[in-house]
Amino acid sequence: MATLEQIQETIKPELARLNAIIADTLRSNSALTDHIVKEYLRTKGKQIRPILVLLSGKLFGGVNDKVLYAGAAIELLHNASLIHDDVIDQSATRRGVPTINSVWDNHVAVLVGDYFVAGALKCAERTHEYRVLNSLASMGSDLSMGEIDQIDNARNRAITEEAYMTIIRHKTASLFVSCVEVGGATAGASDEQLKKLMKFADLLGQCFQIKDDTFDYFHDPIVGKPTGNDLREGKITLPLIYALGRKELPEHDEMNQLVHKPELSDNDIDRLVEWAKRNGGIDYSYRVMQRMEREADDLLSCFEPSDTVDAFKAIFSYIITRNK
């Protein structure tokens, strides 16, 4: 099965053009803005989302200019959300690089994030496709509602799996769904074809967040122990939700009382993290992801076999097996 790097290589020219569109869209007459943008764009990460847009275009007829501008719009809006998230979380680094808010200040970071939003709208307009604008609007709404619901659930210590899945579908999977929707729509896909691929992307996005959440339960090389950052912020994720739901466990009542404390100490967090791991929380999370992967494979079987379909499968595998 192809690696993510191999998939990137198959669309290297298209990805380069998409990134050029982003850079050109963000160019301005402000020396400060240009400096900040140039430094920010220097680190691109894996670019899974624009890759999904381009693969969707390939699946449904080819990557044209509309697909490229749609992909740029998605990536710009996604990065705007990351810049704003760094302000909210007071993050000092992202991908090992100092955040805009840590180098400058929150005021500048929020404004730069807004500038990215404006760039996303410019790129979406260049597609002349109403569906692209509608998809971006829906995605933006879902991202915001997902974060707000997560804050609300954290304050109320909501610990049901259903509530958790609803949040990750909004705050993470909606972006993946929008990627394949705009990529397919601008390449001429039918509604029926897009419906299947969007369901695939929904499952992919949920797996992405579940996998991300499991990292919080393992040793961080800097702190030398599980970070427990999610619990520190009141977020209860799938591994712990599963363990807390196992009423047969001897410490079930004690741990459920512990997790509802108004404020958790470092020792409380360490206990909950280790208890969740010891009682099958991580294994359960992987079973959920593997079930979703099987369901996603079934959805892809509706399409003619091709390298592009294989690439979608490989990305799903990468999402589950990645180590960062």
Side-chain angles (χ1 to χ4, degrees), residues 64-313:
N64 55 42
D65 285 348
K66 288 185 177 183
V67 174
L68 291 171
Y69 275 100
I74 289 282
E75 186 69 347
L76 283 164
L77 193 55
H78 169 55
N79 278 280
S81 72
L82 296 182
I83 293 169
H84 288 158
D85 282 349
D86 288 338
V87 172
I88 294 168
D89 298 336
Q90 301 179 34
S91 301
T93 62
R94 180 176 288 277
R95 306 188 193 110
V97 177
T99 56
I100 296 174
N101 53 289
S102 68
V103 175
W104 302 95
D105 58 31
N106 287 347
H107 189 184
V108 170
V110 169
L111 291 173
V112 171
D114 291 346
Y115 185 63
F116 273 63
V117 173
L121 294 175
K122 287 181 182 178
C123 287
E125 190 275 332
R126 291 289 297 271
T127 68
H128 303 291
E129 293 280 354
Y130 172 78
R131 183 157 188 172
V132 172
L133 288 167
N134 184 64
S135 183
L136 260 66
S138 296
M139 178 187 72
S141 175
D142 283 340
L143 290 177
S144 299
M145 289 303 100
E147 292 292 346
I148 291 171
D149 286 345
Q150 182 168 265
I151 292 170
D152 188 37
N153 283 4
R155 288 174 176 172
N156 297 315
R157 291 292 198 272
I159 55 174
T160 68
E161 186 171 332
E162 182 181 6
Y164 170 79
M165 289 298 182
T166 297
I167 286 173
I168 67 172
R169 288 189 73 186
H170 283 152
K171 79 166 195 170
T172 303
S174 62
L175 182 51
F176 285 71
V177 172
S178 189
C179 286
V180 302
E181 181 180 18
V182 302
T186 49
S190 69
D191 288 345
E192 190 59 33
Q193 290 172 317
L194 267 183
K195 185 177 179 181
K196 291 183 174 64
L197 195 62
M198 288 166 68
K199 176 59 179 173
F200 166 89
D202 180 49
L203 294 166
L204 179 67
Q206 290 180 66
C207 277
F208 186 93
Q209 189 59 57
I210 293 170
K211 178 69 177 188
D212 247 22
D213 290 342
T214 64
F215 292 144
D216 210 45
Y217 292 78
F218 292 95
H219 282 69
D220 183 284
I222 296 175
V223 300
K225 62 180 181 179
T227 61
N229 285 334
D230 288 334
L231 269 173
R232 198 164 280 108
E233 296 172 7
K235 303 172 188 172
I236 304 175
T237 54
L238 191 58
L240 182 56
I241 289 171
Y242 171 75
L244 290 172
R246 295 186 59 191
K247 296 181 179 180
E248 77 279 8
L249 295 175
E251 296 176 282
H252 171 266
D253 291 344
E254 180 185 354
M255 289 301 171
N256 271 272
Q257 290 174 2
L258 180 61
V259 82
H260 281 93
K261 284 178 60 176
E263 187 171 339
L264 295 171
S265 67
D266 287 345
N267 183 60
D268 293 335
I269 291 170
D270 290 343
R271 286 186 65 196
L272 286 164
V273 165
E274 293 304 322
W275 185 75
K277 289 166 63 177
R278 191 167 63 249
N279 289 290
I282 301 298
D283 290 340
Y284 177 74
S285 296
Y286 272 94
R287 289 199 300 274
V288 170
M289 288 188 284
Q290 288 159 357
R291 172 179 56 76
M292 289 181 173
E293 185 176 24
R294 290 192 296 271
E295 188 177 344
D297 279 349
D298 288 342
L299 289 165
L300 291 179
S301 68
C302 300
F303 300 100
E304 289 292 326
S306 67
D307 291 342
T308 303
V309 170
D310 290 342
F312 276 119
K313 292 181 180 179

Side-chain angles (χ1 to χ4, degrees), residues 11 14 17 53-55 57-58 61-68 187:
I11 53 174
E14 294 90 346
R17 288 175 62 198
V53 176
L54 296 175
L55 288 178
K58 285 185 68 175
V63 176
N64 55 42
D65 285 348
K66 288 185 177 183
V67 174
L68 291 171

